[in-house]
Amino acid sequence: MTLRWDVLAAILGMVAATFLCRAGGYAILRVTRPPPFIQAMLQHLPGAIFVAFLAPALAREGWPACVAGGAALLVQARLGRMALSILTGVAVLWIIRSLQ
Amino acid sequence: MRASPPASPPPNLPPGAFTRAGFRRGARAALGLTLGLAPFGLVVGMAADARGLSLLETLLMSGLVFAGTSQLVALELWSDPAPILAATLAALVINLRMAPMGAALAPALDRLSGLRLWGTLAVLVDNSFALMVTEIRSGRRDAAFLLGASIAMWVVWIATTLAGHLFGAAVRLPPGHPVFFASVAALMSILVPLWRGRSDLLPWCVAGLLALGAQALGLGAPWPVLAGALGGAAAGAARDRRRDGAREAGRP
């Protein structure tokens, strides 16, 4: 159970940077009333963030990942069980990869 | 709706509600999604072990940073002595995507202060963010729901990085193994409750295309996500405001 000072310093640096990101956006919003356009943007941000994260991730992994992702989406839309949806996505990708 | 705040808080909740029941509901809601986090936690635990971090150091990093992608990237560029500046910058750049998340949660956070506010923000993660957004949209604003969901993710995160560090050397899953697709699959399933109908089509398409474009230009994290998220949200906002403007003008 060693704890080196340089490792601790790197971890604390990461903690500070990450907290700045987590709290900073809201902190700015709390002190300044944003213009109406920004307020309208905030309504659309949640979906856009996840789509913007997923599109490049799926593109990098190719069509099997797109099919598996589609399967996860379908299961969630039909059955509404996130755990089942995740397992389906992994299983479909696993099957496609093992057939390739 | 921050643009037109209700005159009074929703009737089912007192102002600034932060309830035990909300916390429990949030934790329960996050349980299914922890399945997407688990393989990622294993990978981070294994990477920390491979980089020579002790168990204590690994648990400190996972427990305090609690942001998987930035941990993985920092571990990629790890050296001895530890790269203090590089790890800090990596965390800053990669986690920049969380800044707009906190802002978007304003309806639930505005009535909080002190430790409840900043403590809840300190453990914010993508998945608990998405769950809280669907809560807000269905009229519930108990921020303890967000804390509960985040803490459930945190517990699984700690447990799986611990397992990865202890048993990683024995398991040795190759990097492209389908199990690691779980984190992407979790985000795919999150899209379903976030979808509000056809008016989301334009911002979502713009977000996807901009992110793909930024990646095609060779830009690394977090630029594709930020470009897509901000561009998509701006497209949606511009469309809404034009539509509202037209409605105003058409009024007698």
Side-chain angles (χ1 to χ4, degrees):
Chain A
M1 279 297 202
T2 54
L3 178 58
R4 291 158 286 178
W5 73 265
D6 56 319
V7 174
L8 183 64
I11 290 172
L12 292 180
M14 292 178 71
V15 172
T18 308
F19 181 73
L20 206 65
C21 296
R22 283 186 165 120
Y26 177 70
I28 293 171
L29 198 65
R30 199 164 162 107
V31 292
T32 62
R33 279 276 141 186
F37 187 80
I38 301 289
Q39 293 183 15
M41 266 181 78
L42 289 176
Q43 306 290 327
H44 288 290
L45 257 178
I49 289 176
F50 288 101
V51 173
F53 182 85
L54 284 165
L58 291 178
R60 271 195 306 270
E61 305 224 16
W63 69 266
C66 294
V67 173
L73 204 64
L74 199 68
V75 169
Q76 179 62 32
R78 283 294 149 87
L79 304 174
R81 315 257 358 151
M82 283 180 167
L84 190 64
S85 159
I86 295 165
L87 289 175
T88 304
V90 171
V92 168
L93 185 64
W94 205 322
I95 291 167
I96 296 175
R97 288 267 174 81
S98 60
L99 292 177
Q100 273 180 325
Chain B
M1 291 282 282
R2 202 188 161 85
S4 53
S8 58
N12 54 335
L13 280 180
F18 199 85
T19 67
R20 209 173 277 268
F23 183 92
R24 271 199 301 272
R25 254 171 9 87
R28 243 197 325 271
L31 272 188
L33 278 174
T34 58
L35 217 55
L37 198 71
F40 201 17
L42 286 175
V43 174
V44 168
M46 288 191 261
D49 180 37
R51 288 300 182 168
L53 266 68
S54 74
L55 186 59
L56 178 62
E57 289 162 349
T58 304
L59 291 181
L60 269 180
M61 185 195 273
S62 271
L64 295 176
V65 179
F66 186 36
T69 311
S70 65
Q71 287 178 241
L72 206 55
V73 170
L75 287 167
E76 289 292 322
L77 43 87
W78 209 256
S79 58
D80 191 23
I84 299 168
L85 189 64
T88 303
L89 284 178
L92 190 67
V93 168
I94 289 163
N95 294 326
L96 215 52
R97 71 175 191 289
M98 297 203 275
M101 290 188 190
L105 290 175
L109 299 173
D110 273 347
R111 296 189 204 89
L112 300 181
S113 60
L115 187 62
R116 280 183 175 176
L117 173 61
W118 305 111
T120 301
L121 278 169
V123 286
L124 178 69
V125 279
D126 311 56
N127 298 356
S128 60
F129 162 71
L131 293 173
M132 190 67 218
V133 167
T134 59
E135 270 299 279
I136 292 173
R137 285 177 182 171
S138 55
R140 291 183 291 270
R141 299 186 172 188
D142 185 350
F145 178 95
L146 173 63
L147 183 65
S150 300
I151 293 294
M153 310 296 285
W154 185 85
V155 169
V156 172
W157 184 244
I158 294 292
T160 52
T161 46
L162 175 74
H165 192 275
L166 290 179
F167 310 118
V171 183
R172 274 283 160 256
L173 289 174
H177 194 278
V179 164
F180 301 135
F181 187 68
S183 54
V184 173
L187 296 182
M188 289 301 285
S189 73
I190 277 176
L191 285 182
V192 174
L194 284 180
W195 174 258
R196 287 171 299 184
R198 279 187 46 192
S199 71
D200 277 337
L201 198 59
L202 171 76
W204 288 29
C205 287
V206 171
L209 290 173
L210 281 176
L212 287 172
Q215 177 168 262
L217 288 176
L219 296 174
W223 307 117
V225 185
L226 282 182
L230 297 177
R239 194 261 332 263
D240 290 355
R241 288 177 59 74
R242 203 169 46 239
R243 201 169 49 190
D244 292 351
R247 201 176 299 149
E248 295 282 326
R251 222 170 258 165

